[in-house]
Amino acid sequence: MDRYAVFGNPIGQSKSPFIHSQFALQCKQLMQYEAILAPADGFADSWRDFVASGGKGGNVTVPFKEQAYQLAEVLSARARQAGAVNTLYVNTAGQLCGDNTDGIGLVADLKRLGVSLAGCTVLLLGAGGASRGAIGPLLDAGVRQVVLANRTVSKAQTIAASFDSRLVACGLTDIPEQAYPLIINATSSGLTGSRPEIAATYLKQCQLAYDMVYGAQPTTFMQWAKQQGVPQQADGLGMLLAQAAAAFTIWRGVTPDIEPVMALLKKQLAG
Ligand code: ATR
């Protein structure tokens, strides 16, 4: 049976084994998908052991996405732009290929939510790995401008240096005043129950407040946006499923339907 796995540290909380097992059932793929806890300094060895024992492909999560980028022999344009790899596989020539499906997962989820990205001005909060991976796919989807606002402005400026003038970097307190129909929280603030401290005025013309973090309850950022009158809020569960579906398609050549798996995950989260 073909073997796949997600590598991370910690890994116990990962939903990927459940998601990919559901995709496999739905698409009638004979495959097995497990979670592998790699030692903090031993990702490359874990991956090599996995391939030596018949592993076909893998997902990579925190904190190994940059190490997977270094390890891959062939990188997709998306992975190169993101500077990180979340999907690995061995091609028919035996080369280790690295791709990144996080950004296209986000774009797919935004489309599912009815957002029309062409010509849209996006406010993207945060300048970590999650944010960096989103920029290329957002621009490729026709976004007019991405305003990248980060608490530590230098990090936003460093990212902006590898993009064209459609990306504007700033701090959280000097965001250009214009309409932002879409605001994406790509900071990790939701994991600690907080939100990026931006002025409520930026939300005035916002149609969708999107948080890449997800949980049983709406995140602090989503709750705040709702209080401010933003008509639609979404968390990152759909992005998680869409990046997984894109990885599954790369490995197996078939595209699963995320909706039934999303319904199951929502039930699980609600306990
Ligand atoms: P990830 O890989 O999830 O993007 P990361 O690389 O650690 O994680 O980046 C975390 C991001 O969240 C950073 O942009 C961080 O801001 P700083 O660069 O200023 O540290 C941002 N962040 C985390 N908590 C935040 C908070 N409470 N308010 C604003 N930004 C926050």
Side-chain angles (χ1 to χ4, degrees), residues 140-164:
D140 289 348
V143 160
R144 187 186 73 83
Q145 186 181 59
V146 175
V147 173
L148 181 67
N150 196 45
R151 189 172 58 182
T152 312
V153 68
S154 58
K155 282 200 213 164
Q157 286 163 341
T158 302
I159 293 179
S162 38
F163 288 89
D164 62 33

Side-chain angles (χ1 to χ4, degrees), residues 39-194:
D41 58 353
F43 167 71
D45 286 343
S46 286
W47 171 260
R48 286 191 198 104
D49 289 350
F50 177 67
V51 171
S53 65
K56 295 270 184 232
N59 286 129
V60 183
T61 188
V62 177
F64 298 128
K65 290 184 187 184
E66 284 78 18
Q67 291 180 44
Y69 178 88
Q70 299 298 336
L71 191 66
E73 296 164 86
V74 182
L75 289 164
S76 70
R78 296 190 291 242
R80 221 172 286 124
Q81 210 167 35
V85 157
N86 81 332
T87 303
L88 286 168
Y89 59 97
V90 181
N91 69 11
T92 47
Q95 295 164 303
L96 177 59
C97 301
D99 204 338
N100 192 314
T101 63
D102 287 330
I104 54 166
L106 170 69
V107 166
D109 199 38
L110 292 170
K111 289 186 177 157
R112 181 185 68 86
L113 292 163
V115 178
S116 68
L117 288 168
C120 185
T121 304
V122 179
L123 176 56
L124 183 60
L125 304 170
S131 181
R132 186 181 166 142
I135 298 165
L138 284 171
L139 293 174
D140 289 348
V143 160
R144 187 186 73 83
Q145 186 181 59
V146 175
V147 173
L148 181 67
N150 196 45
R151 189 172 58 182
T152 312
V153 68
S154 58
K155 282 200 213 164
Q157 286 163 341
T158 302
I159 293 179
S162 38
F163 288 89
D164 62 33
S165 59
R166 288 175 296 167
L167 184 66
V168 173
C170 60
L172 294 180
T173 52
D174 59 352
I175 298 170
E177 286 191 29
Q178 55 180 333
Y180 296 105
L182 172 61
I183 303 182
I184 301 171
N185 182 18
T187 74
S188 51
S189 60
L191 299 174
T192 53
S194 61

